[in-house]
Amino acid sequence: MSPAAPASGAPALGARRIVVALAALVVAAGTARLGVWQLDRAAQKRALQAALDTRAAAAPLPQAELATDRVAAAEQHQRRILLQGRWLPERSVFLDNRQMDGRPGFFVLTPLQLEPVPRAAAPGSVIWVQRGWVPRDNDVRTRLPAVPTPPGAVQVAGRVAPPPARLYQFAADAEGPIRQNLDLDESARSLGRPVLPLTVVQVEAPPGGDGLRRDWPAPAADVQKHLGYAFQWFALCALVLLLYVWFQLIRPRRRRPPAD
């Protein structure tokens, strides 16, 4: 009896197995790399959170040392500070679609003309103060509450912060007190005064109160978010490898008929 000829589909089957193995290897390596990247991002966020906590516990920042450029300003976020100056209440801005405890309302921001002027800052420099939150009028959307603003020289206790988070807007904000976002550079042109590249979140109400809520959330670096993403990528990597082992190695052997 002549030897049996090799099955015609054997080369194609072997090539397919090689392609499947390479695909599984590429996907597993890619997902594992993404998981490692997310772990690295989590480590960076831990370092950022530690820096924020250190700044929050540091001594108050002297007004004279307020940053005048964006790079230096980022290094001062969360520092406590006691500002001295005069409010410019007629230039107050109400940022729309801001929530507190799930209620829609406005963030109230008012520029404060600093006195004395910080070192390296131009005369007449102002800083935007995030004074607090007020609810929106349920009947008339554009009706704004009267926010008492002390005249003359004032002191404002707060923490250095970046501007409020930007929200999506369909068109450029119109001139007026109600805005969707605050652009510091544009506000400098509008005010006709130099504006420092940071803001201050007010943490204490003035004497007599002003009706604003100041339940500001503590800044968080979102470490857990990156750890969750890393878990998902590593889980996907493990799933790809398990599926490959099952369908390409274990299952074919279980289906193979026993030898006589």
Side-chain angles (χ1 to χ4, degrees):
M1 177 181 290
S2 60
S8 59
L13 181 60
R16 187 182 70 178
R17 288 178 176 174
I18 293 175
V19 170
V20 171
L22 289 176
L25 180 62
V26 169
V27 173
T31 51
R33 180 66 186 88
L34 289 171
V36 171
W37 175 64
Q38 288 295 337
L39 289 179
D40 183 62
R41 291 287 294 153
Q44 295 176 24
K45 290 298 183 69
R46 285 195 189 95
L48 174 60
Q49 187 64 59
L52 292 175
D53 294 342
T54 299
R55 294 175 200 162
L61 179 72
Q63 180 167 307
E65 297 180 10
L66 276 169
T68 57
D69 65 83
R70 297 184 184 277
V71 175
E75 298 296 323
Q76 294 181 350
H77 292 167
Q78 281 303 104
R79 289 290 301 273
R80 292 177 293 157
I81 192 167
L82 183 63
L83 296 175
Q84 299 181 35
R86 297 176 183 272
W87 293 114
L88 303 176
E90 70 281 359
R91 308 310 294 269
S92 292
V93 167
F94 293 75
L95 295 189
D96 200 0
N97 297 315
R98 308 291 169 151
Q99 295 190 0
M100 190 165 285
D101 295 335
R103 297 179 59 192
F106 302 97
F107 281 171
V108 182
L109 286 82
T110 302
L112 183 75
Q113 183 164 320
L114 296 172
E115 300 173 358
V117 178
R119 292 194 295 266
S125 292
V126 302
I127 186 171
W128 282 94
V129 178
Q130 302 185 48
R131 298 176 62 187
W133 177 90
V134 290
R136 178 188 297 155
D137 189 296
N138 292 327
D139 298 323
V140 182
R141 178 185 178 89
T142 57
R143 181 184 295 164
L144 298 175
V147 179
T149 304
V154 296
Q155 289 188 333
V156 180
R159 292 186 181 276
V160 179
R166 293 188 62 84
L167 302 182
Y168 180 81
Q169 60 189 49
F170 292 98
D173 288 335
E175 290 294 329
I178 299 179
R179 307 284 182 85
Q180 191 76 4
N181 298 294
L182 175 68
D183 185 288
L184 296 183
D185 294 333
E186 178 59 34
S187 71
R189 290 188 287 270
S190 175
L191 292 170
R193 295 176 171 88
V195 174
L196 296 188
L198 40 72
T199 70
V200 165
V201 173
Q202 188 174 0
V203 297
E204 296 180 2
D210 53 15
L212 299 176
R213 288 187 56 184
R214 297 181 173 87
D215 303 326
W216 305 110
D222 291 334
V223 175
Q224 295 302 321
K225 177 183 72 174
H226 294 286
L227 292 178
Y229 289 157
F231 174 80
Q232 293 176 13
W233 285 120
F234 287 135
L236 182 58
C237 175
L239 177 62
V240 169
L241 293 176
L242 287 174
L243 290 176
Y244 174 79
V245 171
W246 172 257
F247 285 104
Q248 298 298 317
L249 301 179
I250 298 177
R251 191 177 180 185
R253 292 184 180 182
R254 296 185 60 172
R255 287 185 170 181
R256 189 176 302 165
D260 293 336

